[in-house]
Structures are given as C-alpha cells and as structure tokens.
Amino acid sequence: MHQQHIWNNYLNLIKQKIPSINADWEIYFFNRKTYSVEGKNLEIDKQKDAIRFHFSIRVIKDKKAGFATCSDINKIPNAFESAIKLALISDVDDFLSLPHPEPVKDVELFDEQLIEIKDSLPQILIDMQKSTLFDSRIKKLRNAEIDLAIEERGIINSNGISVFQSLTSINSYIIAVAEDGDSQMGWAYRTERFLKNINFEDIGRQAASKALMLLNPQRISPFKGFAVLDPYVACEFLELISHSLSAENYLTGKSLFIDKIGHPVINEKLKIVDDGTIPQKFGSSAFDDEGVPTSRKILIEKGVLNLILHNTYTAKRSGSSSTGNAVRTDRGISVGPSNLYIDTEEQKLSRDELVRKVQKGVYIVEVMGMHTANPVSGDFSVGISGVYIEDGQMKYPVREVVVSGNVRELFQNTVALGNDLTFFGNFGSPTLLVGGIDISG
C-alpha cells in the first residue's frame, strides 16, 4: 500500500480520538515491527518477533507544557487528559511553541528487499558466524545477533503539520574469540537501512581480524605521540564532542563552544557536517521529531564553528530557526544530530599511508570507559586496545594502555584523514591521524 494511503488511514483513526481542547497539541506516533535472531558457536539460540505501538502527546496551554504517552490508540483521550493536567502544574515558559508546516522532501529510507529476507535471518546468522572461521585460532563465537525492523512514524499538530514516513533497518553484531597462548575478543557491528549496504560475512571477518590482531599484547612505556583512530573509535570521540553542538547544551552552559560561533574551534583541516537527507542512511529522515524538515548543515568548516543544532524551542529562545534536529527522549523534546560526520577538503589517505606517517604511536581499535569522559569539559581518560606503531610500521598489540586528553584538543591535533568514511549508526568518520596524545603504559 502506498505510504500516503497508510498515513491517511492512521490519520483518520487518530483524529477521531483527539478531544476538543483549548490548547496547542501534538501527537507523535510510531509502529515498529522487529524480527530478531541470536546465536553463538554456529547455533541459533533465540528467535523473536515483536510489535510496538507508541503515541506521544504534547500539550501547550497558557505557555505551560505537559507530556503523556500511551501504546493504545483508544487511550489517546486519556493521554490528552494527563498531558493537560501536567501542563496546568508546570512552570510558565515564554519560549514554548509548536512548529508550523513546511514542505517536506522525500528521503529514500524503505527497502522492500530487506523485508523479503526476514525468514532467512537464521541462515544468514549462521553464515555470518562461519565467516569468522578463516583462521584456526578463532575458537569461540559469542553474541551473534541480527535485528530487522520495519517502522512507520508520523506527526500531526494543531498548527497543521501532518507528516509520515516508512523506514526499514537492519542491525548486525558479533563477537569472535581468538586463542593462541592468550585469549582476545574482537567484535564488529553495522546498522543500515538497505540490504545492499550491509555485508554480513564482512562483519564476521572484521570481528575475527580484530581478535587476531590483539593476540599476545605487550606493555609499553608512557610517551606522547601519535594515535591512528579506527573509524569506530573516531566516531566515539565525535559523539562526545557532539554534545557541544546541541543548542540545548549551549544555552545551559554545558558546551565546549560557548561564545565560539564564528571562531576556530578545531583543526582548520576538519569539517563536521550534519545531514538528515542522505538517502539510505540510518540517521536520515524527511523530518525531525517535531515534523520540521531535515537538511544538510555544515556545522564546522575549516575548523570554524558556523552554527549549532536546534529544535523549535531552542531556536525561539535563541532568536533563530529550527535546524530540524528535534529528538524524542524520555524527558520530552531534546536536540540531537541526524547523520553527523567528519570530512575534509584536504587529501584523504589510506589507513596504511596514515600509519606510515607515524614515527611512534598506537593504532587504536577500541576504547574502554568512554562513558566516563566529561562532555562539558571535554576531558577524557580511557583504556584502549590497539597496536604499537614505530617507524611507520605496526609492531605488536598493546595492553594496559590508557590515553588521556581533551576532545577539543584531539580534534585540534588531527593532522590527516583517511579515505574510508564509515558510519556506525548516525555517526560517521574516516580513520584519523592525531598528534600530541598522552599514552600511558
């Protein structure tokens, strides 16, 4: 059925449940079907299908907001009643408002081919596990999982917004264990919206290769040197600095970039882009969680902070416009990135070329304890797994190593980028070469 026909059916049912109230209102709706399969050691342990309906109600009355949720369309009137009661006891906020309709362009996010493989997921999972066994040192397989989801979501409000879209996604994850006088785990995962963009056997081989790479690590003495960041590791640091690109954090003094708009904040070679319109990407959407159209925005260009991300509330508070970056959380409406990624106008190098530039450093494939990093100050001290580099060659894996510093300084000291831009969920980065890293053995 055409997606507009689906939305019209939902819309008619939902509108029948909306009570007559003297207030601004909004309904965010989604319906998600998931098909999951899990296993280990070439076996299937669990298969599960699930369906979830969710309705989120927001009411603004007399400059006060109330929220309520329900999972049954017939409970919408009760949710409205709860939201109104909460609004009446909330604080007055002059900046509360709902967005008005704007033209929304289609973004390619639904893959019919993905739906067709749902019955084949167990065999696909077995084949992904088999792909790890190219080396006899791979002894165990753990936590192999594939999740396929089909989602429909829409938003309507009292200002006339009425938007809807259908989406698909596939998530795959696996852990491989290598043993050879030592035991090391390697893992890999990917999340995509289209089947053609994911290779399950590659995911298995990546997990096994990482485990093999880390076998029999050695201790190293502390030094300050270079770090070559695997794309996934670079994405973790990008996610850390993304907190400072949120207007919500900026306005509450929880950003590294307070009063820095129009000023250099990181290395002039770097560009950070947020783009919710990239076809087939996991973080893409035709509209944000308030119904505002998404767009492509260069947040940082040549190291200079151009703008930050807004929802309707933060935009009104700042005297600007929403950037289409409203996200739903358990606390209500927040601000978050769509597809946030690192890019450059400079020459991009292969991973091997980046390694050859390093006289002394480490190639980092995993960080432990990133949750302890401070998103307000940007300071971090994390454990890492990786390989020691000397004279442009990867020598041996390392253990009990800690890297510490500040995330803004890390991006200030990024001197070269790889040609392997990779997205993990809605964050993307190529391999990065970073100088001035404190490496403690």
Side-chain angles (χ1 to χ4, degrees):
M1 185 183 295
H2 190 276
Q3 104 171 356
Q4 188 59 48
H5 292 160
I6 296 173
W7 178 229
N8 288 339
N9 290 337
Y10 282 134
L11 195 58
N12 291 333
L13 292 172
I14 292 171
K15 282 184 174 179
Q16 294 173 20
K17 304 298 181 181
I18 300 173
S20 178
I21 59 172
N22 183 25
D24 294 330
W25 55 264
E26 171 190 77
I27 301 178
Y28 170 88
F29 157 80
F30 74 76
N31 165 28
R32 181 181 295 127
K33 301 175 184 178
T34 57
Y35 306 88
S36 302
V37 58
E38 301 176 24
K40 60 180 181 291
N41 296 324
L42 300 181
E43 296 180 353
I44 301 298
D45 292 338
K46 186 187 301 183
Q47 296 186 62
K48 181 174 65 175
D49 298 347
I51 299 178
R52 184 188 177 198
F53 286 86
H54 178 82
F55 300 90
S56 177
I57 314 299
R58 177 166 52 151
V59 170
I60 300 176
K61 183 176 177 60
D62 300 328
K63 300 181 180 180
K64 300 178 181 180
F67 292 85
T69 62
C70 62
S71 58
D72 184 342
I73 193 170
N74 294 313
K75 298 292 185 181
I76 288 178
N78 304 89
F80 264 94
E81 184 178 350
S82 298
I84 291 170
K85 288 180 179 179
L86 289 172
L88 292 175
I89 61 174
S90 298
D91 294 330
V92 172
D93 192 329
D94 291 331
F95 301 111
L96 289 170
S97 65
L98 297 177
H100 288 81
E102 297 179 54
V104 173
K105 296 181 179 179
D106 288 338
V107 180
E108 187 184 18
L109 300 172
F110 191 87
D111 183 18
E112 294 283 357
Q113 288 186 332
L114 194 57
I115 300 173
E116 294 173 1
I117 70 162
K118 63 184 178 65
D119 293 332
S120 303
L121 292 181
Q123 187 58 52
I124 293 172
L125 188 72
I126 293 293
D127 291 342
M128 182 174 72
Q129 294 181 74
K130 287 181 179 178
S131 70
T132 67
L133 303 177
F134 60 85
D135 190 298
S136 61
R137 292 172 293 174
I138 300 297
K139 302 297 184 181
K140 300 175 185 176
L141 302 173
R142 297 178 180 171
N143 301 97
E145 182 175 350
I146 298 175
D147 303 296
L148 187 157
I150 304 166
E151 184 175 328
E152 297 160 341
R153 70 185 188 104
I155 301 169
I156 58 173
N157 73 17
S158 54
N159 287 336
I161 280 182
S162 177
V163 290
F164 175 83
Q165 63 183 355
S166 300
L167 314 93
T168 53
S169 64
I170 185 85
N171 176 70
S172 182
Y173 177 84
I174 189 170
I175 295 176
V177 179
E179 297 179 358
D180 184 12
D182 177 36
S183 179
Q184 294 289 335
M185 290 193 305
W187 59 269
Y189 94 96
R190 289 299 297 272
T191 301
E192 296 288 351
R193 292 211 177 275
F194 276 61
L195 179 62
K196 66 182 181 180
N197 296 331
I198 191 167
N199 187 314
F200 299 99
E201 293 184 0
D202 275 355
I203 295 168
R205 286 190 287 267
Q206 288 169 19
S209 296
K210 186 182 294 184
L212 294 166
M213 177 189 295
L214 299 175
L215 277 172
N216 301 304
Q218 302 179 30
R219 289 190 176 93
I220 56 175
S221 300
F223 67 95
K224 183 184 284 281
F226 284 92
V228 178
L229 307 185
D230 175 86
Y232 179 79
V233 174
C235 284
E236 291 195 276
F237 284 106
L238 176 61
E239 184 175 3
L240 178 60
I241 208 169
S242 73
H243 293 274
S244 292
L245 296 169
S246 157
E248 188 173 53
N249 292 327
Y250 187 93
L251 292 170
T252 55
K254 298 178 181 178
S255 169
L256 292 168
F257 302 143
I258 301 296
D259 297 327
K260 296 296 184 183
I261 295 177
H263 298 278
V265 291
I266 57 176
N267 193 290
E268 64 181 8
K269 295 181 179 180
L270 297 185
K271 176 165 64 175
I272 295 182
V273 181
D274 181 79
D275 189 352
T277 68
I278 306 173
Q280 304 179 15
K281 284 300 179 188
F282 184 75
S284 294
S285 175
F287 50 87
D288 71 1
D289 286 354
E290 292 182 304
V292 176
T294 58
S295 62
R296 182 178 187 270
K297 302 161 290 290
I298 302 177
L299 306 182
I300 297 177
E301 187 169 24
K302 295 183 178 179
V304 176
L305 179 64
N306 290 331
L307 73 156
I308 53 179
L309 303 176
H310 283 281
N311 60 23
T312 300
Y313 175 84
T314 62
K316 188 170 183 180
R317 187 173 165 183
S318 304
S320 57
S321 300
S322 173
T323 59
N325 288 92
V327 296
R328 300 268 165 172
T329 72
D330 293 338
R331 298 180 292 106
I333 306 295
S334 186
V335 178
S338 53
N339 296 299
L340 191 73
Y341 64 96
I342 301 170
D343 202 357
T344 184
E345 300 299 328
E346 304 286 324
Q347 181 184 11
K348 299 172 184 178
L349 307 176
S350 69
R351 190 193 74 174
D352 290 344
E353 288 174 319
L354 293 174
V355 169
R356 285 198 290 270
K357 286 179 170 290
V358 178
Q359 183 176 6
K360 186 175 185 180
V362 288
Y363 172 56
I364 301 177
V365 298
E366 185 177 358
V367 296
M368 288 78 74
M370 185 61 85
H371 65 282
T372 65
N374 188 327
V376 179
S377 68
D379 293 334
F380 64 87
S381 181
V382 294
I384 65 109
S385 295
V387 179
Y388 177 67
I389 303 172
E390 189 173 80
D391 296 331
Q393 295 184 342
M394 292 206 275
K395 295 293 188 179
Y396 49 79
V398 295
R399 64 175 176 173
E400 298 177 12
V401 175
V402 172
V403 297
S404 57
N406 182 275
V407 68
R408 183 176 169 187
E409 293 176 0
L410 181 145
F411 286 113
Q412 180 63 53
N413 294 331
T414 298
V415 295
L417 283 73
N419 56 9
D420 54 351
L421 173 62
T422 307
F423 279 86
F424 296 90
N426 64 321
F427 289 91
S429 177
T431 301
L432 302 181
L433 175 59
V434 184
I437 295 290
D438 287 316
I439 302 165
S440 302

